């Protein structure tokens, strides 16, 4: 999940397209998000409000990765504040 979130955030800004390969970054982000989605569908895992099995993710794997990353950040935040 963290890998998918990182890949999504490293897709270059159009102004930097001459420095980085935007197509490779876009493909990496999409591929990593799709692997996360397929893993969660296969194993019934995931922590976000919309489950991996929901058909909306068929065309938005990166949206699913963003949702899962946001849920993980919330969980980490809640755990930190519950302990201290």
């Amino acid at each position: 999940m963290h890998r998918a979130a990182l890949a999504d955030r490293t897709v270059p800004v159009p102004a930097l397209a001459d420095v980085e390969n935007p197509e490779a970054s876009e493909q990496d982000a999409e591929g990593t998000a799709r692997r996360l989605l397929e893993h969660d569908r296969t194993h019934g895992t995931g922590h976000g409000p919309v489950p991996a099995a929901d058909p909306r993710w068929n065309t938005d794997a990166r949206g699913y990765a963003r949702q899962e990353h946001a849920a993980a950040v919330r969980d980490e935040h809640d755990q930190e504040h519950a302990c201290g």
Side-chain angles (χ1 to χ4, degrees), residues 11-46:
V11 173
V13 178
L16 301 176
D18 59 327
V19 177
E20 300 179 31
N21 182 345
E23 288 181 26
S25 295
E26 191 87 27
Q27 289 172 352
D28 182 48
E30 183 65 29
T32 304
R34 181 123 335 257
R35 286 190 297 278
L36 172 65
L37 177 60
E38 292 305 319
H39 177 273
D40 285 354
R41 283 179 170 170
T42 299
H43 299 285
T45 53

Side-chain angles (χ1 to χ4, degrees), residues 6-84:
L6 178 62
D8 184 59
R9 284 174 174 73
T10 59
V11 173
V13 178
L16 301 176
D18 59 327
V19 177
E20 300 179 31
N21 182 345
E23 288 181 26
S25 295
E26 191 87 27
Q27 289 172 352
D28 182 48
E30 183 65 29
T32 304
R34 181 123 335 257
R35 286 190 297 278
L36 172 65
L37 177 60
E38 292 305 319
H39 177 273
D40 285 354
R41 283 179 170 170
T42 299
H43 299 285
T45 53
H47 301 287
V50 181
D54 192 292
R56 77 180 73 190
W57 304 127
N58 292 345
T59 58
D60 189 17
R62 287 174 61 188
Y64 178 76
R66 290 182 198 115
Q67 169 192 266
E68 292 302 299
H69 183 256
V73 168
R74 279 192 302 274
D75 289 348
E76 289 172 13
H77 179 267
D78 291 348
Q79 288 175 3
E80 287 175 5
H81 289 281
C83 296

